[in-house]
Amino acid sequence: MRKLFQADLINLGEQLIQITSLVHTAMEKAYTAFDTTDLQLAEEVIAADAQIDRLQVELDEKAIELLALQGPVASDLRMIVGALRMSTSLERMGDLARHIAQLARMRYPDRVAPDALHPVFEKMAKLTTQISSRLITLLETRELHLVAEIHALNEQLNDLHASVFTIVAAEDWQQSPATSVDSSLVSRFFERYGDHAVAVANKVDYLVTGSWDSRELS
Amino acid sequence: MRKLFQADLINLGEQLIQITSLVHTAMEKAYTAFDTTDLQLAEEVIAADAQIDRLQVELDEKAIELLALQGPVASDLRMIVGALRMSTSLERMGDLARHIAQLARMRYPDRVAPDALHPVFEKMAKLTTQISSRLITLLETRELHLVAEIHALNEQLNDLHASVFTIVAAEDWQQSPATSVDSSLVSRFFERYGDHAVAVANKVDYLVTGSWDSRELS
């Protein structure tokens, strides 16, 4: 019984890694679709999000079943509750990738963002995938230096998000209101993706160290 | 022991109601601050959000303690896991009210939104508070017709959110890019608030009926 339970916990961890990998790929593809106006790729990301949602529900049902059947305590309990929390954040990250793909589809065959914002979005997209790539490794290895790295990358993402508003509000900005709105939304989707990744990383930190610090609030 | 545990569960439900009431008041005040450019009220909403965050952490710690000490099963387990999920959504709703107050503070002494959008935002604000008012009653009474009402109100909110994009993209829209961005963000904050309320309502529905339908995915 006990041995089976440990296998269940490991399995839960593997499910989290699988979902994170799918979310990571979704964001990579969503940005490519957005950047290259690739309608087919956008559709692919939108369709794939349903699989992420299904896997989240499966993980949650499994976690609740473990709570019910095993009555876990201490670190096992923390791990299972942590998995429930992390799956919620990961599912939202998948939604945000889908939102970017949906914007690409809505504006097709036009590009969503103007050339002036291309370098910023290129950097933001790179940061988001660096963040989720580190998140996968963090879940696999529990090497806590990755938590700090994810925080640092997310800071850069926040700075770029702020810069988008500055660019859009500048006097030489000549774009349509719809483009202003689309651009700021995409920027916000990237920024929220980073925030959710930080929330997941903080939970891993908490599970490993057992300390519930103020970052847990974020 | 059993009696004490039931008291703990009731207490958990009361904490959810308390947080929902605070979130509801935060949104009411945030819109008033936004609408009347009331800097002091905006500051008040921003400061009060820290209390909502604290209460959420308290509730979560209590829920995890109950899981650890009581090893609950069946409907008790569902209730506790449900409370953990609901508290996450409620905390986000508090953040969204704070975001609206922060926009009011950032643009002070100017108004955030132009006159053209006043009627739409007035309606959206009214819908959000109708939604959270019903959510409070739903948590208190578990009367499931309120779930359907919350869904219906949220549909109206989604339609108004879509209409904001139409107004901002229309040819007669003469506002600055910053105003376009601010307006679409406020609209999105209202819309997200409604979505989170629907998620909470669906969880109450699930706890009462025990049926996990597709709405649970939203």
Side-chain angles (χ1 to χ4, degrees):
Chain A
M1 182 80 166
R2 184 76 199 154
K3 214 165 175 183
L4 269 180
F5 178 50
Q6 288 307 322
D8 282 333
L9 284 185
I10 290 168
N11 198 23
L12 215 55
E14 280 166 0
Q15 282 179 277
L16 282 174
I17 293 166
Q18 186 196 1
I19 296 174
T20 312
S21 301
L22 288 172
V23 165
H24 172 77
T25 304
M27 185 49 107
E28 271 188 339
K29 287 187 179 170
Y31 178 68
T32 303
F34 170 92
D35 189 42
T36 63
T37 65
D38 186 333
L39 183 61
Q40 201 182 326
L41 193 61
E43 295 282 10
E44 196 186 306
V45 172
I46 294 162
D49 189 47
Q51 196 205 344
I52 294 173
D53 292 351
R54 258 197 312 279
L55 287 171
Q56 191 225 347
V57 170
E58 272 177 39
L59 185 152
D60 286 5
E61 284 172 349
K62 185 72 197 168
I64 293 169
E65 189 188 309
L66 289 178
L67 287 172
L69 298 181
Q70 305 287 349
V73 294
S75 66
D76 291 346
L77 173 63
R78 280 214 313 262
M79 158 73 196
I80 296 172
V81 172
L84 280 169
R85 292 272 176 66
M86 289 188 255
S87 83
T88 305
S89 296
L90 291 168
E91 190 266 331
R92 277 302 297 158
M93 289 166 74
D95 286 349
L96 292 162
R98 172 168 54 80
H99 289 340
I100 290 174
Q102 282 170 322
L103 263 181
R105 179 173 72 178
M106 186 166 75
R107 298 304 178 204
Y108 180 84
D110 296 326
R111 297 186 72 182
V112 178
D115 291 345
L117 280 173
H118 182 267
V120 182
F121 286 147
E122 184 85 19
K123 280 183 212 154
M124 291 184 93
K126 202 172 166 191
L127 284 165
T128 54
T129 51
Q130 285 175 330
I131 287 171
S132 42
S133 159
R134 274 168 184 71
L135 196 57
I136 295 167
T137 313
L138 174 66
L139 288 164
E140 285 170 344
T141 65
R142 303 198 169 195
E143 287 176 11
L144 293 186
H145 67 91
L146 292 164
V147 178
E149 284 180 38
I150 288 168
H151 276 259
L153 291 166
N154 192 50
E155 291 288 314
Q156 292 180 49
L157 195 54
N158 287 339
D159 291 345
L160 288 169
H161 179 51
S163 81
V164 168
F165 288 92
T166 308
I167 292 168
V168 170
E171 282 193 15
D172 61 352
W173 177 260
Q174 302 285 351
Q175 305 297 326
S176 72
T179 299
S180 305
V181 168
D182 286 354
S183 301
S184 60
L185 279 180
V186 168
S187 178
R188 183 161 170 85
F189 296 150
F190 282 133
E191 182 253 350
R192 293 295 306 147
Y193 184 95
D195 280 351
H196 282 291
V198 163
V200 176
N202 286 346
K203 263 153 203 97
V204 176
D205 193 356
Y206 165 67
L207 289 173
V208 174
T209 66
S211 74
W212 188 295
D213 74 10
S214 58
R215 282 179 301 175
E216 193 62 20
L217 289 171
S218 71
Chain B
M1 181 79 166
R2 185 74 201 158
K3 214 165 173 181
L4 268 180
F5 178 50
Q6 288 306 323
D8 282 333
L9 285 186
I10 289 167
N11 198 23
L12 215 55
E14 281 168 358
Q15 283 178 278
L16 282 174
I17 292 166
Q18 187 195 0
I19 296 174
T20 312
S21 301
L22 288 171
V23 165
H24 172 77
T25 304
M27 185 49 106
E28 270 188 339
K29 288 187 179 171
Y31 179 68
T32 304
F34 170 93
D35 190 42
T36 63
T37 66
D38 185 333
L39 183 61
Q40 202 183 325
L41 192 61
E43 296 282 11
E44 196 186 305
V45 173
I46 295 162
D49 189 48
Q51 196 205 344
I52 294 172
D53 291 351
R54 258 196 314 279
L55 288 171
Q56 190 225 348
V57 171
E58 273 176 39
L59 185 151
D60 286 4
E61 285 173 348
K62 186 72 196 169
I64 292 169
E65 191 189 308
L66 289 178
L67 287 173
L69 298 180
Q70 306 286 349
V73 294
S75 66
D76 291 345
L77 173 63
R78 280 213 313 260
M79 159 72 197
I80 296 173
V81 172
L84 281 169
R85 291 270 177 65
M86 289 189 256
S87 83
T88 305
S89 296
L90 291 168
E91 190 266 331
R92 278 300 299 157
M93 289 166 74
D95 287 348
L96 292 162
R98 171 168 54 79
H99 290 340
I100 290 174
Q102 283 170 322
L103 262 182
R105 179 172 71 177
M106 186 166 77
R107 298 302 179 207
Y108 180 84
D110 295 326
R111 298 186 73 181
V112 178
D115 290 345
L117 281 172
H118 183 266
V120 181
F121 287 146
E122 186 85 19
K123 279 184 216 156
M124 290 184 93
K126 200 170 168 194
L127 284 165
T128 55
T129 51
Q130 285 175 330
I131 286 171
S132 42
S133 159
R134 273 165 183 75
L135 196 56
I136 295 167
T137 313
L138 174 65
L139 288 164
E140 285 170 345
T141 64
R142 303 199 170 196
E143 286 175 12
L144 293 187
H145 67 91
L146 292 164
V147 178
E149 285 180 37
I150 288 168
H151 276 259
L153 291 165
N154 192 50
E155 292 287 315
Q156 293 180 49
L157 195 53
N158 287 339
D159 290 346
L160 288 168
H161 179 52
S163 80
V164 169
F165 288 93
T166 308
I167 293 168
V168 170
E171 281 192 16
D172 61 351
W173 176 260
Q174 302 285 351
Q175 305 296 327
S176 72
T179 299
S180 305
V181 169
D182 287 354
S183 302
S184 60
L185 278 180
V186 169
S187 178
R188 183 162 168 84
F189 296 150
F190 282 132
E191 181 253 350
R192 292 295 307 148
Y193 184 95
D195 280 352
H196 283 291
V198 163
V200 176
N202 286 346
K203 259 147 207 103
V204 176
D205 192 355
Y206 166 66
L207 289 172
V208 174
T209 64
S211 74
W212 188 294
D213 74 9
S214 59
R215 280 179 300 175
E216 191 62 22
L217 289 171
S218 70

